[in-house]
């Protein structure tokens, strides 16, 4: 199925709004699932398995829909570059999650809308910054600072400073990947734009798992490990990824990202409840500032009015 070339973004309808809310809410479970897997698996092994499951799910979806996944020659380099960005992003996030707590992971990783809006403003005219959105970015950055300086003592966070740095790096790479994927998906089938970066990252995860020693103590695998992997692979990395890329392709990154403030709310709530983590006052204050800033920064700019048409020749126009 050939990709449909989209030059102008579409306004959000009810179906897209419901899809954005659902995906953003479900993604809040991801920090819990990541930490559950890390309790019994090294970071890059968990990354390899979740991405392999996601790849298989997307391949099955493409086969049922009759979508050709074969890349054309001109698509190979962009897809290869996206594979590297994806592999480094997931590796950084998995490694960071191994060192920090799931609550901090839920907050810091979901700061990617800040960078997404900065980048998208440079390449997507509809996402240009205005004073209100710029103020939101400043507030969100201050919130991140408060979160990073909050004292959190948890047996699930053996080295939170190192882990937080990895997670923030992963959030920045995710923003780059989302904007780049959106631009690529305007020119090729969005299913290919999701599928091949996942497949291309698999050898990198496998090599990293074999090459990097694992010094963290791990528990034995149980049903919760495999349930968490299936959730990450099929729901978040498969169906959720396809739907998210379709939405940012149809609309704009900034418009769709506006719904991402739901994810850290559900993520912090679920992580705190599942693992019994306490929430220090400074952490809650920083979290609220991040949410407020993202909510303001992700507001879509008003569309510019098109310039009036030039008068025809003979009426003051140029011949």
């Amino acid at each position: 199925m050939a990709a449909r070339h989209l030059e102008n973004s579409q306004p959000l309808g009810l179906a897209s709004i419901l899809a954005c809310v659902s995906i953003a809410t479900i993604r809040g479970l991801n920090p819990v699932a990541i930490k559950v897997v890390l309790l019994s698996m090294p970071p890059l092994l968990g990354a390899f398995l979740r991405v392999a499951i996601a790849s298989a799910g997307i391949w099955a979806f493409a086969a049922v829909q009759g979508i050709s996944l074969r890349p054309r020659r001109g698509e190979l380099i962009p897809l290869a570059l996206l594979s590297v960005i994806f592999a480094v992003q997931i590796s950084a996030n998995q490694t960071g999650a191994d060192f920090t707590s799931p609550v901090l992971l839920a907050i810091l990783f979901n700061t990617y809308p800040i960078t997404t809006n900065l980048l998208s403003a440079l390449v997507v005219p509809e996402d240009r910054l205005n004073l209100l959105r710029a103020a939101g970015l400043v507030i969100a950055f201050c919130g991140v600072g408060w979160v990073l300086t909050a004292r959190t003592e948890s047996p699930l966070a053996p080295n939170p400073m190192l882990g937080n740095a990895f997670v923030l790096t992963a959030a920045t790479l995710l923003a780059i990947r989302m904007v780049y994927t959106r631009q690529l998906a305007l020119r090729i089938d969005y299913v290919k734009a999701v599928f091949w970066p996942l497949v291309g990252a698999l050898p990198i995860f496998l090599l990293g798992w074999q090459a990097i020693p694992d010094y963290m103590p791990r528990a034995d695998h149980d049903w919760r490990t495999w349930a968490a992997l299936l959730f990450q692979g099929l729901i978040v990395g498969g169906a959720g990824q396809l739907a998210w890329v379709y939405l940012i392709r149809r609309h704009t990154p900034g418009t769709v990202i506006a719904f991402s403030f739901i994810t850290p709310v559900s993520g912090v709530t679920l992580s705190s409840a599942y693992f019994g983590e306490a929430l220090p006052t400074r952490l809650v204050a920083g979290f609220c500032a991040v949410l407020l800033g993202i909510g303001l920064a992700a507001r879509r700019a008003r569309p510019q009015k098109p310039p009036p048409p030039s008068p025809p020749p003979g009426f003051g126009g140029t011949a």
Side-chain angles (χ1 to χ4, degrees):
M1 183 174 70
R4 184 164 62 93
H5 292 257
L6 301 175
E7 297 298 332
N8 297 316
S9 60
Q10 305 298 310
L12 281 173
L14 179 60
S16 292
I17 292 173
L18 292 176
C20 289
V21 171
S22 299
I23 296 168
T25 303
I26 291 172
R27 281 183 166 184
L29 278 169
N30 205 37
V32 176
I34 289 173
K35 200 66 178 183
V36 167
V37 173
L38 288 171
L39 292 176
S40 58
M41 283 187 185
L44 295 187
L45 174 59
F48 174 82
L49 291 174
R50 65 181 277 197
V51 172
I53 293 170
S55 302
I58 295 172
W59 177 86
F61 170 82
V64 171
Q65 296 293 319
I67 300 172
S68 173
L69 292 175
R70 184 175 182 178
R72 297 186 177 94
R73 181 173 298 179
E75 299 168 354
L76 293 175
I77 293 178
L79 289 172
L81 177 59
L82 202 52
S83 296
V84 174
I85 296 173
F86 176 76
V88 177
Q89 177 238 310
I90 294 295
S91 299
N93 193 47
Q94 291 282 118
T95 303
D98 210 22
F99 289 111
T100 195
S101 74
V103 166
L104 286 172
L105 172 64
I107 297 174
L108 295 177
F109 182 69
N110 287 293
T111 59
Y112 70 88
I114 303 172
T115 313
T116 301
N117 276 274
L118 287 173
L119 294 174
S120 189
L122 299 176
V123 297
V124 182
E126 298 95 325
D127 271 348
R128 69 188 186 280
L129 291 177
N130 54 28
L131 183 60
L132 184 62
R133 298 182 73 199
L137 291 175
V138 173
I139 294 172
F141 274 119
C142 292
V144 172
W146 290 337
V147 169
L148 289 174
T149 56
R151 295 188 61 182
T152 53
E153 297 180 0
S154 169
L156 297 172
N159 192 337
M161 293 295 289
L162 178 62
N164 294 343
F166 271 111
V167 172
L168 284 175
T169 300
T172 302
L173 289 171
L174 176 59
I176 295 171
R177 180 166 69 89
M178 289 190 68
V179 175
Y180 184 71
T181 299
R182 194 262 182 176
Q183 298 304 105
L184 182 61
L186 292 176
R187 293 162 179 79
I188 72 173
D189 194 291
Y190 77 99
V191 181
K192 283 198 288 187
V194 175
F195 176 75
W196 284 111
L198 269 64
V199 173
L202 288 174
I204 301 175
F205 294 142
L206 199 58
L207 180 63
W209 170 47
Q210 294 293 330
I212 300 174
D214 181 29
Y215 297 106
M216 299 284 283
R218 310 284 175 190
D220 294 332
H221 304 163
D222 59 19
W223 67 270
R224 288 170 293 187
T225 305
W226 300 109
L229 278 172
L230 288 173
F231 171 78
Q232 292 178 76
L234 294 179
I235 306 301
V236 177
Q241 179 88 330
L242 283 173
W244 203 247
V245 171
Y246 173 81
L247 289 165
I248 65 173
R249 171 180 177 265
R250 181 174 177 81
H251 308 291
T252 71
T255 303
V256 175
I257 293 301
F259 294 88
S260 295
F261 74 92
I262 300 171
T263 302
V265 173
S266 61
V268 168
T269 302
L270 293 168
S271 297
S272 178
Y274 186 87
F275 292 105
E277 286 192 274
L279 300 177
T281 303
R282 193 179 185 88
L283 182 65
V284 174
F287 176 48
C288 292
V290 169
L291 290 182
L292 175 61
I294 290 174
L296 293 174
R299 291 172 63 91
R300 183 173 178 172
R302 293 179 181 178
Q304 292 179 330
K305 294 181 179 180
S310 301
F315 289 86
T318 57

